[in-house]
Amino acid sequence: MGKAAVSMVVFGLYLSIMGIILLIEPNFLLGLFGIPETDEVWIRVIGMLVLILAVYYIQTARMDLTEFFWLSVYVRMFVIVFFTAFVMMGLVKPALILFGAVDMMGAAWTWWALKAEGK
């Protein structure tokens, strides 16, 4: 498994953890970001979707699907843009930008690894 694939597996594991938290104890995570607690099902639906994304990241890493790696680099770079916009609009506290930073750092790791592997 190459370095880019490893970065994808690590990101998939991160997503797995986030998805499980959102399924089991979503208000813990919401509270960290100053988002009001909820008993509605939507947050658990998001947790399920995050877990599904985690499966994509891990399985594409196992299959060494370089095209998906590149696509993920571009998409993950935009997460911080959206999260920053949400903060600037006053919808959420600035702590949410930390999660965007995790996506950006993961994307940068994958980009660097792809370049180093000549892909």
Side-chain angles (χ1 to χ4, degrees), residues 77-99:
M77 287 292 199
F78 276 100
V79 173
I80 198 164
V81 173
F82 281 98
F83 286 2
T84 301
F86 297 156
V87 169
M88 293 176 72
M89 290 187 292
L91 299 173
V92 69
K93 291 185 179 180
L96 185 64
I97 294 173
L98 295 174
F99 273 91

Side-chain angles (χ1 to χ4, degrees), residues 105-116:
M105 288 185 296
W109 178 15
T110 303
W111 178 86
W112 174 82
L114 286 164
K115 288 292 189 177

